Structures are given as structure tokens and as C-alpha cells.
Amino acid sequence: MSEANKANTVAFYKKALFEGDVENAFRIYAGEPYRQHNPLIEDGVEGLRKFLAWILANHPDAHGEIKRVFADGDYVILHSHWHGLSDNPRGEAVVDIFRLEGGKVVEHWDVIQPIPETAANNNTMF
């Protein structure tokens, strides 16, 4: 189940965020109701549609790359590197947490951290 949930979540994320096809991402990979925990985004397909429209209008060059995918039962975590969400030339480290029911994405949380210019260690954030 975890592998199928990982595949469905990655497909949902890519279709909605990378391709901008929110309608089909929800039609194929999301369930009802879809609960959003990011305080800037409304619940459901309309909330994500509005948020992506805002990103495209304000940050048209924004793009991300999924670096890691973890799953534990009905929870899937994506660790991504995004560029263009802000003026930070190094971008942001983003962790998206999804909960699935019956293989469909039904809930989302995220944490976004700017990548600093210097670090106290020689490790990267990815």
C-alpha cells in the first residue's frame, strides 16, 4: 500500500504543481473532502487552483524538484527543492505531508524553509 500511495502522491504533485493541471490531478488522484493545512490555501480543488494562479502571476519561473519520497501507511512525505517562490537565489527546502484514504490524497500539510547562504556544517539541505 505504501508504494501505491507514494506513486499516487507523486503523480498528484507533479500533475498539479509541476504541470499546473489541478483539475485532472484532483479528478484522478484526490478524494473528497480535500483538507488543506497551509493557512494560505483554501480547502478543496478551488483552493489549490487559486493558490497556483497566484504563484504563476507572482512567480512565473517557480519550479521544483522532488528529492525524496517517504511513506508510512496512509501518509506520504515529499522533500523538494523549489526555486522562484521567493527572491532567495538558493530557493527553498519544502516538505509536503499528505494523507491518503483509499489511495486518494485527502489532506495536506507543508513546511517551507529558505536555504541560507551559509551553514554551520558542510552538509546540504538535500
Side-chain angles (χ1 to χ4, degrees):
M1 178 197 277
S2 288
E3 290 305 312
N5 282 346
K6 283 168 57 174
N8 286 348
T9 302
V10 168
F12 172 80
Y13 196 84
K14 286 181 175 180
K15 181 148 300 282
L17 277 74
F18 294 172
E19 298 173 22
D21 190 355
V22 176
E23 303 301 325
N24 282 317
F26 270 82
R27 184 179 57 77
I28 299 167
Y29 303 108
E32 286 288 332
Y34 178 82
R35 294 184 61 200
Q36 180 62 252
H37 295 277
N38 179 318
L40 302 176
I41 307 172
E42 298 170 21
D43 286 338
V45 64
E46 185 62 23
L48 192 55
R49 186 184 308 117
K50 287 179 184 177
F51 182 69
L52 287 177
W54 179 86
I55 287 177
L56 287 173
N58 293 281
H59 305 284
D61 295 328
H63 61 281
E65 178 185 358
I66 298 170
K67 299 291 191 172
R68 289 176 189 78
V69 181
F70 305 94
D72 183 10
D74 287 334
Y75 289 88
V76 176
I77 301 167
L78 305 181
H79 182 212
S80 303
H81 187 182
W82 277 85
H83 290 278
L85 294 177
S86 70
D87 294 333
N88 183 347
R90 291 164 300 285
E92 287 78 29
V94 178
V95 175
D96 289 282
I97 304 167
F98 295 92
R99 185 176 68 81
L100 290 82
E101 283 182 1
K104 301 287 187 175
V105 175
V106 295
E107 203 160 5
H108 171 258
W109 299 259
D110 59 15
V111 180
I112 302 170
Q113 180 180 9
I115 298 172
E117 187 172 336
T118 61
N121 58 57
N122 292 323
N123 307 315
T124 72
M125 293 183 73
F126 303 101

